Amino acid sequence: MLIEGAAGPDLIRVDNLAKHFPVTRGAVLRRVVGTVKAVDGVSFAIGHGRTLGLVGESGCGKSTVGRLLVRLIDPTAGSIMLDGTDISRLDGEAMFQHRRNLQFVFQDPMSSLNPRMTVEKIIAEPLVVQGVPVAEQRARVGELLDLVGLAPAHRTRYPHEFSGGQRQRIGIARALATNPRFVVCDEAVSALDVSVQAQIVNLLKRLQRELGLSYLFVAHDLSVVRHMSDDVAVMYLGRIVEIGDRRRIFAAPAHPYTKALLSSVPAPRQSARREARTLLSGELPSPLNPPNGCAFHTRCPVAIARCKVERPELRPVETGQAAACHLLD
Ligand SMILES: Nc1ncnc2c1ncn2[C@@H]1O[C@H](COP(=O)(O)OP(=O)(O)OP(=O)(O)O)[C@@H](O)[C@H]1O
Ligand SMILES: [Mg+2]
């Protein structure tokens, strides 16, 4: 079960995960003048072969969640269970054993692929780190090129010789080199043309089916998230305000923020519902100084007095759906 309950067959289970960044001022003394609670106590689970979509406005903490899950950064608090083992505090050799299971696909393949390395070298890099013998590396690169729809002749080429979509295929091949079980796709298709986006989304879905991968899929484009995800989590200023089954979230969003996000998506077939749109108004508050109570109350069209003082916790709304809003009491 996604939201709460017994230890199910989840691949990833995150409990109360937090990442606070110190904010410093001054080039020399670097005085700490505050803290950004980029991620402030999030909990969720991702099952084997399943995808959790993560949405929310810029700066709400989506990438930070992704980077925490693959241990690119250390959490301030909370646990990350990978198949029953808490990996949130592991380092050195203990973490090395788990690292090959956790990979990351970045938004911009041009800046994440080394321009001076051939495709062969780029894809083999994680295998070199893992100490895989050279002959095995070569065979694996051949397999991976085939898996992501690139040709054997592409081995000796450089990133600039490829289109955006092909470059993202190289990034995906590199992420899959170590045979991971979990992949964070952080805006992995956002920089691509719409037609190319569809090809990469379909590739990711096929790879998921064939390899049994689990994904955290971060994206701004809600239609892409809808297409990719089994479950969806909505973040606002470092916290999850709604989470649940993708069909429920899109058909019957419970949190006013989710409703606003969904209604701000221009969908041609939704014109009849245009009057019902509650476009998000007002500025996103500073994450350095988030509002008291419910962080969304300053922009919420239905906020009541209680929302200004008391922070709502996530609670079940329906089977497979939970939201953090006092109006659901
Ligand atoms: N290394 C860091 N040091 C200080 N603050 C950081 C750091 N990384 C992220 N932040 C802050 O944490 C907050 C969340 O950032 P994050 O990149 O996770 O947001 P996001 O949801 O991925 O945004 P976007 O949609 O723009 O990619 C932001 O306020 C950001 O400025
Ligand atoms: Mg981001």
Side-chain angles (χ1 to χ4, degrees), residues 228-261:
M228 273 301 292
S229 312
D230 299 296
D231 299 298
V232 173
V234 182
M235 280 185 81
Y236 191 76
L237 289 177
R239 297 176 68 88
I240 290 176
V241 297
E242 182 157 6
I243 184 167
D245 181 272
R246 178 246 313 165
R247 278 163 304 222
R248 288 228 35 107
I249 300 284
F250 279 92
H255 197 284
Y257 180 61
T258 315
K259 290 180 188 170
L261 268 189

mmCIF file of all heavy atoms in Angstrom, residues 228-261:
data_model
loop_
_atom_site.group_PDB
_atom_site.id
_atom_site.type_symbol
_atom_site.label_atom_id
_atom_site.label_comp_id
_atom_site.label_asym_id
_atom_site.label_seq_id
_atom_site.Cartn_x
_atom_site.Cartn_y
_atom_site.Cartn_z
ATOM 1 N N MET A 228 3.050 8.467 -17.451
ATOM 2 C CA MET A 228 4.137 7.621 -16.935
ATOM 3 C C MET A 228 3.817 6.930 -15.615
ATOM 4 O O MET A 228 4.356 5.866 -15.325
ATOM 5 C CB MET A 228 5.380 8.493 -16.665
ATOM 6 C CG MET A 228 6.330 8.719 -17.807
ATOM 7 S SD MET A 228 7.025 7.219 -18.510
ATOM 8 C CE MET A 228 8.087 6.610 -17.190
ATOM 9 N N SER A 229 2.993 7.585 -14.757
ATOM 10 C CA SER A 229 2.992 7.204 -13.346
ATOM 11 C C SER A 229 1.894 6.221 -12.953
ATOM 12 O O SER A 229 0.811 6.224 -13.540
ATOM 13 C CB SER A 229 2.825 8.463 -12.485
ATOM 14 O OG SER A 229 3.705 9.467 -12.912
ATOM 15 N N ASP A 230 2.171 5.424 -11.948
ATOM 16 C CA ASP A 230 1.129 4.626 -11.284
ATOM 17 C C ASP A 230 0.542 5.438 -10.142
ATOM 18 O O ASP A 230 -0.655 5.428 -9.910
ATOM 19 C CB ASP A 230 1.738 3.339 -10.717
ATOM 20 C CG ASP A 230 2.326 2.482 -11.809
ATOM 21 O OD1 ASP A 230 1.550 2.028 -12.663
ATOM 22 O OD2 ASP A 230 3.563 2.299 -11.824
ATOM 23 N N ASP A 231 1.430 6.119 -9.415
ATOM 24 C CA ASP A 231 1.014 6.977 -8.309
ATOM 25 C C ASP A 231 1.618 8.359 -8.517
ATOM 26 O O ASP A 231 2.606 8.497 -9.238
ATOM 27 C CB ASP A 231 1.510 6.405 -6.966
ATOM 28 C CG ASP A 231 0.940 5.025 -6.713
ATOM 29 O OD1 ASP A 231 -0.286 4.898 -6.615
ATOM 30 O OD2 ASP A 231 1.738 4.079 -6.630
ATOM 31 N N VAL A 232 1.029 9.347 -7.870
ATOM 32 C CA VAL A 232 1.519 10.718 -8.022
ATOM 33 C C VAL A 232 1.627 11.362 -6.642
ATOM 34 O O VAL A 232 0.741 11.185 -5.796
ATOM 35 C CB VAL A 232 0.561 11.552 -8.911
ATOM 36 C CG1 VAL A 232 0.971 13.019 -8.934
ATOM 37 C CG2 VAL A 232 0.527 11.006 -10.337
ATOM 38 N N ALA A 233 2.719 12.093 -6.409
ATOM 39 C CA ALA A 233 2.864 12.884 -5.184
ATOM 40 C C ALA A 233 2.987 14.349 -5.582
ATOM 41 O O ALA A 233 3.692 14.688 -6.523
ATOM 42 C CB ALA A 233 4.105 12.449 -4.402
ATOM 43 N N VAL A 234 2.266 15.211 -4.858
ATOM 44 C CA VAL A 234 2.284 16.646 -5.141
ATOM 45 C C VAL A 234 3.017 17.342 -4.004
ATOM 46 O O VAL A 234 2.638 17.183 -2.836
ATOM 47 C CB VAL A 234 0.844 17.197 -5.239
ATOM 48 C CG1 VAL A 234 0.857 18.685 -5.573
ATOM 49 C CG2 VAL A 234 0.036 16.414 -6.267
ATOM 50 N N MET A 235 4.073 18.088 -4.338
ATOM 51 C CA MET A 235 4.853 18.773 -3.286
ATOM 52 C C MET A 235 4.591 20.269 -3.283
ATOM 53 O O MET A 235 4.375 20.885 -4.334
ATOM 54 C CB MET A 235 6.354 18.552 -3.500
ATOM 55 C CG MET A 235 6.854 17.212 -3.018
ATOM 56 S SD MET A 235 8.652 17.089 -3.165
ATOM 57 C CE MET A 235 9.180 17.963 -1.678
ATOM 58 N N TYR A 236 4.631 20.845 -2.081
ATOM 59 C CA TYR A 236 4.554 22.294 -1.930
ATOM 60 C C TYR A 236 5.523 22.685 -0.822
ATOM 61 O O TYR A 236 5.409 22.197 0.312
ATOM 62 C CB TYR A 236 3.126 22.728 -1.585
ATOM 63 C CG TYR A 236 2.919 24.220 -1.682
ATOM 64 C CD1 TYR A 236 2.789 24.836 -2.925
ATOM 65 C CD2 TYR A 236 2.881 25.019 -0.547
ATOM 66 C CE1 TYR A 236 2.623 26.212 -3.036
ATOM 67 C CE2 TYR A 236 2.712 26.400 -0.647
ATOM 68 C CZ TYR A 236 2.583 26.990 -1.887
ATOM 69 O OH TYR A 236 2.418 28.355 -2.006
ATOM 70 N N LEU A 237 6.494 23.525 -1.145
ATOM 71 C CA LEU A 237 7.489 24.001 -0.171
ATOM 72 C C LEU A 237 8.044 22.882 0.731
ATOM 73 O O LEU A 237 7.986 22.979 1.951
ATOM 74 C CB LEU A 237 6.910 25.122 0.685
ATOM 75 C CG LEU A 237 6.699 26.469 -0.031
ATOM 76 C CD1 LEU A 237 6.045 27.474 0.899
ATOM 77 C CD2 LEU A 237 8.015 27.030 -0.553
ATOM 78 N N GLY A 238 8.550 21.848 0.112
ATOM 79 C CA GLY A 238 9.277 20.824 0.851
ATOM 80 C C GLY A 238 8.440 19.714 1.457
ATOM 81 O O GLY A 238 8.988 18.796 2.066
ATOM 82 N N ARG A 239 7.108 19.808 1.307
ATOM 83 C CA ARG A 239 6.258 18.771 1.894
ATOM 84 C C ARG A 239 5.311 18.186 0.852
ATOM 85 O O ARG A 239 4.953 18.869 -0.112
ATOM 86 C CB ARG A 239 5.442 19.349 3.058
ATOM 87 C CG ARG A 239 6.321 19.843 4.195
ATOM 88 C CD ARG A 239 5.506 20.499 5.278
ATOM 89 N NE ARG A 239 4.667 19.543 5.983
ATOM 90 C CZ ARG A 239 5.053 18.832 7.037
ATOM 91 N NH1 ARG A 239 6.265 18.968 7.516
ATOM 92 N NH2 ARG A 239 4.232 17.997 7.620
ATOM 93 N N ILE A 240 4.895 16.944 1.077
ATOM 94 C CA ILE A 240 3.897 16.341 0.198
ATOM 95 C C ILE A 240 2.519 16.772 0.695
ATOM 96 O O ILE A 240 2.188 16.556 1.859
ATOM 97 C CB ILE A 240 4.021 14.808 0.184
ATOM 98 C CG1 ILE A 240 5.317 14.403 -0.538
ATOM 99 C CG2 ILE A 240 2.808 14.172 -0.521
ATOM 100 C CD1 ILE A 240 5.605 12.918 -0.537
ATOM 101 N N VAL A 241 1.738 17.410 -0.189
ATOM 102 C CA VAL A 241 0.399 17.844 0.231
ATOM 103 C C VAL A 241 -0.677 16.867 -0.237
ATOM 104 O O VAL A 241 -1.781 16.849 0.315
ATOM 105 C CB VAL A 241 0.057 19.278 -0.243
ATOM 106 C CG1 VAL A 241 1.017 20.286 0.397
ATOM 107 C CG2 VAL A 241 0.092 19.401 -1.759
ATOM 108 N N GLU A 242 -0.352 16.087 -1.263
ATOM 109 C CA GLU A 242 -1.312 15.060 -1.695
ATOM 110 C C GLU A 242 -0.546 13.938 -2.373
ATOM 111 O O GLU A 242 0.436 14.180 -3.083
ATOM 112 C CB GLU A 242 -2.360 15.653 -2.654
ATOM 113 C CG GLU A 242 -3.393 14.613 -3.080
ATOM 114 C CD GLU A 242 -4.720 15.212 -3.551
ATOM 115 O OE1 GLU A 242 -4.829 16.451 -3.654
ATOM 116 O OE2 GLU A 242 -5.637 14.423 -3.838
ATOM 117 N N ILE A 243 -1.007 12.707 -2.154
ATOM 118 C CA ILE A 243 -0.344 11.553 -2.763
ATOM 119 C C ILE A 243 -1.383 10.469 -2.988
ATOM 120 O O ILE A 243 -2.330 10.336 -2.209
ATOM 121 C CB ILE A 243 0.825 11.060 -1.862
ATOM 122 C CG1 ILE A 243 1.590 9.916 -2.555
ATOM 123 C CG2 ILE A 243 0.346 10.626 -0.474
ATOM 124 C CD1 ILE A 243 2.928 9.605 -1.889
ATOM 125 N N GLY A 244 -1.194 9.726 -4.068
ATOM 126 C CA GLY A 244 -2.108 8.610 -4.269
ATOM 127 C C GLY A 244 -2.107 8.082 -5.685
ATOM 128 O O GLY A 244 -1.286 8.477 -6.519
ATOM 129 N N ASP A 245 -3.049 7.218 -5.917
ATOM 130 C CA ASP A 245 -3.227 6.582 -7.205
ATOM 131 C C ASP A 245 -3.412 7.643 -8.302
ATOM 132 O O ASP A 245 -4.201 8.576 -8.130
ATOM 133 C CB ASP A 245 -4.477 5.702 -7.108
ATOM 134 C CG ASP A 245 -4.737 4.967 -8.398
ATOM 135 O OD1 ASP A 245 -5.419 5.530 -9.280
ATOM 136 O OD2 ASP A 245 -4.257 3.843 -8.515
ATOM 137 N N ARG A 246 -2.677 7.471 -9.395
ATOM 138 C CA ARG A 246 -2.709 8.480 -10.463
ATOM 139 C C ARG A 246 -4.121 8.777 -10.944
ATOM 140 O O ARG A 246 -4.498 9.935 -11.147
ATOM 141 C CB ARG A 246 -1.847 7.965 -11.626
ATOM 142 C CG ARG A 246 -1.792 8.856 -12.829
ATOM 143 C CD ARG A 246 -2.445 8.231 -14.043
ATOM 144 N NE ARG A 246 -2.016 6.850 -14.241
ATOM 145 C CZ ARG A 246 -2.643 6.001 -15.041
ATOM 146 N NH1 ARG A 246 -3.723 6.366 -15.699
ATOM 147 N NH2 ARG A 246 -2.207 4.774 -15.187
ATOM 148 N N ARG A 247 -4.952 7.720 -11.098
ATOM 149 C CA ARG A 247 -6.315 7.965 -11.604
ATOM 150 C C ARG A 247 -7.105 8.835 -10.639
ATOM 151 O O ARG A 247 -7.822 9.732 -11.044
ATOM 152 C CB ARG A 247 -7.044 6.639 -11.830
ATOM 153 C CG ARG A 247 -6.679 5.993 -13.160
ATOM 154 C CD ARG A 247 -7.090 4.560 -13.129
ATOM 155 N NE ARG A 247 -6.461 3.908 -11.956
ATOM 156 C CZ ARG A 247 -5.922 2.701 -11.975
ATOM 157 N NH1 ARG A 247 -5.965 1.979 -13.045
ATOM 158 N NH2 ARG A 247 -5.368 2.188 -10.906
ATOM 159 N N ARG A 248 -6.951 8.578 -9.341
ATOM 160 C CA ARG A 248 -7.698 9.373 -8.348
ATOM 161 C C ARG A 248 -7.203 10.816 -8.314
ATOM 162 O O ARG A 248 -8.004 11.748 -8.269
ATOM 163 C CB ARG A 248 -7.584 8.746 -6.947
ATOM 164 C CG ARG A 248 -8.379 7.479 -6.830
ATOM 165 C CD ARG A 248 -9.258 7.415 -5.595
ATOM 166 N NE ARG A 248 -9.830 8.656 -5.163
ATOM 167 C CZ ARG A 248 -11.108 8.995 -5.297
ATOM 168 N NH1 ARG A 248 -11.943 8.180 -5.905
ATOM 169 N NH2 ARG A 248 -11.552 10.133 -4.822
ATOM 170 N N ILE A 249 -5.891 10.973 -8.329
ATOM 171 C CA ILE A 249 -5.336 12.331 -8.250
ATOM 172 C C ILE A 249 -5.827 13.173 -9.436
ATOM 173 O O ILE A 249 -6.193 14.338 -9.269
ATOM 174 C CB ILE A 249 -3.786 12.293 -8.231
ATOM 175 C CG1 ILE A 249 -3.279 11.510 -7.027
ATOM 176 C CG2 ILE A 249 -3.201 13.705 -8.281
ATOM 177 C CD1 ILE A 249 -3.335 12.203 -5.704
ATOM 178 N N PHE A 250 -5.848 12.582 -10.635
ATOM 179 C CA PHE A 250 -6.261 13.365 -11.799
ATOM 180 C C PHE A 250 -7.786 13.515 -11.893
ATOM 181 O O PHE A 250 -8.275 14.543 -12.335
ATOM 182 C CB PHE A 250 -5.681 12.775 -13.095
ATOM 183 C CG PHE A 250 -4.247 13.185 -13.325
ATOM 184 C CD1 PHE A 250 -3.200 12.400 -12.858
ATOM 185 C CD2 PHE A 250 -3.948 14.372 -13.965
ATOM 186 C CE1 PHE A 250 -1.873 12.787 -13.046
ATOM 187 C CE2 PHE A 250 -2.628 14.779 -14.165
ATOM 188 C CZ PHE A 250 -1.600 13.977 -13.702
ATOM 189 N N ALA A 251 -8.518 12.496 -11.436
ATOM 190 C CA ALA A 251 -9.979 12.566 -11.579
ATOM 191 C C ALA A 251 -10.627 13.304 -10.410
ATOM 192 O O ALA A 251 -11.621 14.013 -10.587
ATOM 193 C CB ALA A 251 -10.554 11.156 -11.689
ATOM 194 N N ALA A 252 -10.063 13.132 -9.204
ATOM 195 C CA ALA A 252 -10.705 13.724 -8.029
ATOM 196 C C ALA A 252 -9.652 14.257 -7.058
ATOM 197 O O ALA A 252 -9.490 13.748 -5.947
ATOM 198 C CB ALA A 252 -11.573 12.672 -7.334
ATOM 199 N N PRO A 253 -8.904 15.298 -7.478
ATOM 200 C CA PRO A 253 -7.892 15.851 -6.576
ATOM 201 C C PRO A 253 -8.569 16.392 -5.313
ATOM 202 O O PRO A 253 -9.647 16.982 -5.392
ATOM 203 C CB PRO A 253 -7.266 16.981 -7.397
ATOM 204 C CG PRO A 253 -8.279 17.341 -8.438
ATOM 205 C CD PRO A 253 -9.026 16.073 -8.735
ATOM 206 N N ALA A 254 -7.933 16.169 -4.150
ATOM 207 C CA ALA A 254 -8.570 16.575 -2.892
ATOM 208 C C ALA A 254 -7.997 17.876 -2.343
ATOM 209 O O ALA A 254 -8.699 18.641 -1.701
ATOM 210 C CB ALA A 254 -8.411 15.461 -1.861
ATOM 211 N N HIS A 255 -6.709 18.121 -2.564
ATOM 212 C CA HIS A 255 -6.074 19.310 -1.991
ATOM 213 C C HIS A 255 -6.280 20.524 -2.912
ATOM 214 O O HIS A 255 -6.146 20.395 -4.137
ATOM 215 C CB HIS A 255 -4.579 19.041 -1.807
ATOM 216 C CG HIS A 255 -3.915 20.010 -0.883
ATOM 217 N ND1 HIS A 255 -3.607 21.299 -1.264
ATOM 218 C CD2 HIS A 255 -3.528 19.890 0.406
ATOM 219 C CE1 HIS A 255 -3.045 21.922 -0.238
ATOM 220 N NE2 HIS A 255 -2.986 21.085 0.791
ATOM 221 N N PRO A 256 -6.569 21.698 -2.335
ATOM 222 C CA PRO A 256 -6.760 22.894 -3.173
ATOM 223 C C PRO A 256 -5.551 23.193 -4.074
ATOM 224 O O PRO A 256 -5.713 23.701 -5.179
ATOM 225 C CB PRO A 256 -6.948 24.027 -2.154
ATOM 226 C CG PRO A 256 -7.347 23.355 -0.887
ATOM 227 C CD PRO A 256 -6.780 21.970 -0.904
ATOM 228 N N TYR A 257 -4.346 22.844 -3.600
ATOM 229 C CA TYR A 257 -3.159 23.096 -4.425
ATOM 230 C C TYR A 257 -3.142 22.164 -5.644
ATOM 231 O O TYR A 257 -2.851 22.592 -6.751
ATOM 232 C CB TYR A 257 -1.884 22.918 -3.598
ATOM 233 C CG TYR A 257 -0.633 23.167 -4.411
ATOM 234 C CD1 TYR A 257 -0.401 24.412 -4.983
ATOM 235 C CD2 TYR A 257 0.297 22.156 -4.634
ATOM 236 C CE1 TYR A 257 0.732 24.648 -5.752
ATOM 237 C CE2 TYR A 257 1.433 22.383 -5.391
ATOM 238 C CZ TYR A 257 1.640 23.630 -5.951
ATOM 239 O OH TYR A 257 2.760 23.859 -6.714
ATOM 240 N N THR A 258 -3.472 20.880 -5.420
ATOM 241 C CA THR A 258 -3.525 19.943 -6.548
ATOM 242 C C THR A 258 -4.584 20.406 -7.551
ATOM 243 O O THR A 258 -4.351 20.393 -8.761
ATOM 244 C CB THR A 258 -3.883 18.521 -6.052
ATOM 245 O OG1 THR A 258 -3.111 18.226 -4.897
ATOM 246 C CG2 THR A 258 -3.620 17.484 -7.125
ATOM 247 N N LYS A 259 -5.724 20.849 -7.025
ATOM 248 C CA LYS A 259 -6.793 21.326 -7.919
ATOM 249 C C LYS A 259 -6.292 22.500 -8.758
ATOM 250 O O LYS A 259 -6.542 22.574 -9.960
ATOM 251 C CB LYS A 259 -8.016 21.766 -7.104
ATOM 252 C CG LYS A 259 -8.745 20.602 -6.464
ATOM 253 C CD LYS A 259 -9.944 21.095 -5.664
ATOM 254 C CE LYS A 259 -10.547 19.938 -4.872
ATOM 255 N NZ LYS A 259 -11.549 20.356 -3.910
ATOM 256 N N ALA A 260 -5.583 23.413 -8.104
ATOM 257 C CA ALA A 260 -5.081 24.589 -8.821
ATOM 258 C C ALA A 260 -4.052 24.190 -9.869
ATOM 259 O O ALA A 260 -4.078 24.679 -11.001
ATOM 260 C CB ALA A 260 -4.472 25.573 -7.824
ATOM 261 N N LEU A 261 -3.146 23.272 -9.496
ATOM 262 C CA LEU A 261 -2.133 22.817 -10.465
ATOM 263 C C LEU A 261 -2.799 22.192 -11.680
ATOM 264 O O LEU A 261 -2.442 22.487 -12.812
ATOM 265 C CB LEU A 261 -1.250 21.739 -9.835
ATOM 266 C CG LEU A 261 0.038 22.089 -9.116
ATOM 267 C CD1 LEU A 261 0.790 20.798 -8.791
ATOM 268 C CD2 LEU A 261 0.928 23.007 -9.940
#
